[in-house]
Amino acid sequence: MREDAESLDIKDVTANWVNAEVLARQIGERIKSLADLSDTPLFFGRLDYLHSPGADRAEGAEGERFYIGRRHVHDHDGDPMVIDWRAPVSQPFYRASKKDPMDIGLRRRFGYTRGEITAYEDEHLSDPAETATTSKLLQQEIERPRVGPMRDIVATIQPEQDEIVRSGLGGTVCVQGGPGTGKTAVGLHRVAYLLYAHRERLARTGTLVIGPNRSFLHYIEQVLPALGELSVKQATVDDLVAAGLEVRGTDDAAGAVLKGDARMAEVLKRAVYAHVTMPAEPVMVVRGSRRWRVPAYEIEEIVRELLDRGIRYGAAREALPQRIAHAVLVQMERSGEAPDDRVQDAVARNPAVKAAVKAIWPPVDPAKLVLRLLTDADFLAAHAEGILDEDEQKTILWAKPVRSVKSAKWSAADAVLIDEATDIVERTHSLGHVVLDEAQDLSPMQYRAVGRRCSTGSATVLGDLAQGTTPWATRSWDEALSHLGKSDGVIEELTAGFRVPTDVITYASRLLPHIAPGLTPVASVRENPGFFDVRPVQTTAQVVAACEELLRNEGSTGLIAADARVPELAEALTAAGIGYLAPGEETTAETRLTLVPASLAKGLEYDYVVLDEPQAVVDGEPDERTGLRRLYVALTRAVSGLIVTHAAPLPAELAG
């Protein structure tokens, strides 16, 4: 298929060089999407239907056999050899069961080792004599060592995951999932499915995956290309809102919480529209020997109508000169003239009209507006009255005056405020679909910023309330969806754990009553309980020794520690001659250890983990609940085994 695409000759099939460039780029993307992936088989399953799909079963139609894979594969005649996992005919591979066979006689799973078929496993779903069993190959695939970036899960998608993956483009889905439930993979595979089912529409409107940080995005960036999807963009929330703005400052927790409060949206809206002033004088338009006068009361009526319509500040400002010009044209027609659209455009550009518009509805620079709110106490008080009290206003005011937008030390929360103000002035471009991962850590204003990017599209929201580690972490998904502008979104919960071993998730779940009361604990479906040990240590050398012990196993190892402990541990690893990586860097056969600050552990996974000093992880956060949530994240990064090392006493919440 790749050779066919490479051999295409397009010299004589395009009308002009522009079409030729577009077609050449499309063919280039097609060739890239067909690239071979090492150790990745073309198919992983087989379905034998009792009857041909769609055929009338009463006529005794013979069944058909389909091989299911990551990509559609056809032969030289165009006949399908492998069916894409996203196709409707592939759905029974994930959904069929002994209770509901979905007209499947045989489901076969293939097992691979380094790309070579080494096993297969059959289920005769329509045979009443055969009892339902747990798939050994499925368990092996789930428990396969993690080396390198995140991989797709098309061979192991479970029925409850498949239901979310195949949900329609029109609706927003919010997935609450504890550690190891596969929520990130589900979100990415939903994008792949939507691109398959609605390719033309999403090609026009675009798709975006939003992650918490660059390390996380680097970790997941190969999943969609491995499924042949190359057009999905990735970004952090900071990337989206800081376009062209240099973020150099930081806020204390109280300031960041207030700036992220949804009430700030109303403060900004008031401040923007406060620039509109009612006209005090008429507008006199001179054309040739004639003068046309639009009285102040008539212009005021136009201004009030534009304000009542609730359209963007900038759009209303662009409409105002045309409305004034229309009033002039009405007078012209009454006097016997027959002006057309060109005359109206000319009147709208008349110096008198332009001067009036500038005075009534002046342009607003969003960054300058936010700077004034944060530095001018009187300006802030005027527009925050009844919204923020005096103490709250003082909390967000900058202590020192700033000369200009460029010299200001903007924080990440300030950038979100500027983004909100920009949207009040001019509508933000909306995409067709947005995936928002680790969503529990967003502030209401950040949710609004993301919501603007999918205001006419849909979203997949992924997160775990128990892993909220910011002072402004969301309290409920209903509240989050409301700020996102998707109140009608459906909330789904994943509670089956595929990644974290039973003993590890049971230990970590001791924290749930303290950090997220009411959440259902994750129930591991893994047969292997995993390796788990809690060890008192006296020295850093003993922590290094625990890393060396785990590195004797196949797969990746993560050493997770409180941020303040990382320099000391880095020095100890170097002294012991152990090479290590930073989060997001790809493991190699020679270097399989990653040193992870606890603040960057979220969303990452390793075959084995050494968690250093749990109490230090808790103490590294501004409050105990956030610290315990950070600890919960760190405890649940392991796929096969976890060693907890501690010199200080363990947090009381971990007591059995």
Side-chain angles (χ1 to χ4, degrees), residues 17 163 198 223 297 388 398 413 416 465 522:
W17 69 270
E163 192 172 336
H198 307 278
V223 174
Y297 75 85
L388 304 178
W398 289 359
V416 178
L465 296 177
V522 172

Side-chain angles (χ1 to χ4, degrees), residues 531 533 535 537 540-551 556-562 565 569 573 593-598 601 606-614 617 634-635 637-638 641-646:
F531 170 73
D533 194 17
R535 296 181 185 175
V537 296
T540 304
Q542 290 173 286
V543 179
V544 172
C547 294
E548 290 177 310
E549 177 185 333
L550 294 181
L551 284 168
S556 58
T557 297
L559 170 55
I560 303 177
R565 292 267 300 154
L569 291 169
L573 289 170
L593 176 68
T594 304
L595 178 56
V596 188
Y606 303 93
D607 286 295
Y608 295 90
V609 167
V610 175
L611 174 58
D612 169 74
E613 215 59 77
V617 174
L635 281 167
R637 299 304 96 199
L642 169 69
I643 296 176
V644 177
T645 59
H646 66 101

Side-chain angles (χ1 to χ4, degrees), residues 30-321:
R30 171 72 172 160
I31 293 168
K32 263 196 273 183
S33 75
L34 290 170
D36 283 325
L37 297 172
S38 61
D39 298 345
T40 302
L42 285 175
F43 62 92
F44 50 81
R46 190 182 108 187
L47 289 176
D48 290 5
Y49 275 79
L50 296 176
H51 307 86
S52 293
D56 187 349
R57 298 183 188 182
E59 297 177 359
E62 291 186 8
E64 283 191 73
R65 174 178 297 172
F66 300 97
Y67 285 89
I68 312 301
R70 288 165 175 76
R71 305 292 310 280
H72 166 77
V73 182
H74 62 248
D75 61 18
H76 286 292
D77 297 322
D79 294 325
M81 299 175 68
V82 179
I83 304 298
D84 194 301
W85 66 276
R86 297 168 285 189
V89 77
S90 302
Q91 190 171 358
F93 187 79
Y94 304 108
R95 300 271 187 102
S97 65
K98 294 292 289 184
K99 289 183 179 178
D100 181 14
M102 300 177 72
D103 199 42
I104 300 299
L106 172 77
R107 172 167 59 196
R108 174 170 290 178
R109 299 181 191 274
F110 294 94
Y112 290 86
T113 302
R114 297 182 179 85
E116 297 289 331
I117 294 181
T118 53
Y120 69 88
E121 184 180 75
D122 288 348
E123 297 171 87
H124 297 88
L125 297 175
S126 298
D127 183 355
E130 185 176 292
T131 57
T133 58
T134 302
S135 168
K136 298 293 184 184
L137 287 180
L138 191 61
Q139 283 288 336
Q140 290 171 11
E141 177 64 22
I142 288 171
E143 297 176 12
R144 185 154 58 93
R146 265 75 169 159
V147 176
M150 184 179 182
R151 58 176 184 253
D152 67 77
I153 61 163
V154 290
T156 63
I157 294 173
Q158 298 299 291
E160 65 272 20
Q161 296 174 324
D162 189 65
E163 192 172 336
I164 297 169
V165 166
R166 294 177 194 265
S167 54
L169 177 60
T172 287
V173 178
C174 175
V175 182
Q176 158 64 39
T181 55
K183 57 186 177 294
T184 296
V186 166
L188 294 174
H189 286 68
R190 186 179 183 217
V191 171
Y193 172 77
L194 293 175
L195 286 166
Y196 175 89
H198 307 278
R199 191 165 300 281
E200 288 189 11
R201 179 174 170 184
L202 289 177
R204 293 194 307 271
T205 55
T207 50
L208 173 69
V209 174
I210 301 174
N213 52 57
R214 282 274 140 214
S215 296
F216 178 83
L217 291 176
H218 182 67
Y219 176 64
I220 68 169
E221 66 184 358
Q222 295 303 318
V223 174
L224 289 168
L227 300 174
E229 303 300 345
L230 305 173
S231 61
V232 181
K233 293 184 171 59
Q234 295 184 345
T236 65
V237 173
D238 291 346
D239 293 334
L240 294 178
V241 302
L245 190 76
E246 187 179 359
V247 174
R248 297 182 294 150
T250 55
D251 291 302
D252 59 22
V257 169
L258 258 178
K259 289 178 181 179
D261 194 306
R263 293 177 295 165
M264 289 301 299
E266 183 59 30
V267 174
L268 289 164
K269 188 175 181 181
R270 285 185 185 180
V272 169
Y273 281 95
H275 289 76
V276 178
T277 55
M278 294 302 165
E281 299 177 352
V283 173
M284 189 72 71
V285 176
V286 179
R287 281 185 62 80
S289 60
R290 302 292 300 271
R291 294 184 175 216
W292 309 99
R293 180 177 178 275
V294 184
Y297 75 85
E298 189 172 344
I299 299 174
E300 183 174 336
E301 288 177 1
I302 294 171
V303 171
R304 292 195 184 281
E305 184 202 347
L306 288 172
L307 288 171
D308 291 341
R309 285 182 60 191
I311 59 177
R312 293 295 193 278
Y313 183 93
R317 185 175 186 275
E318 291 176 3
L320 181 57

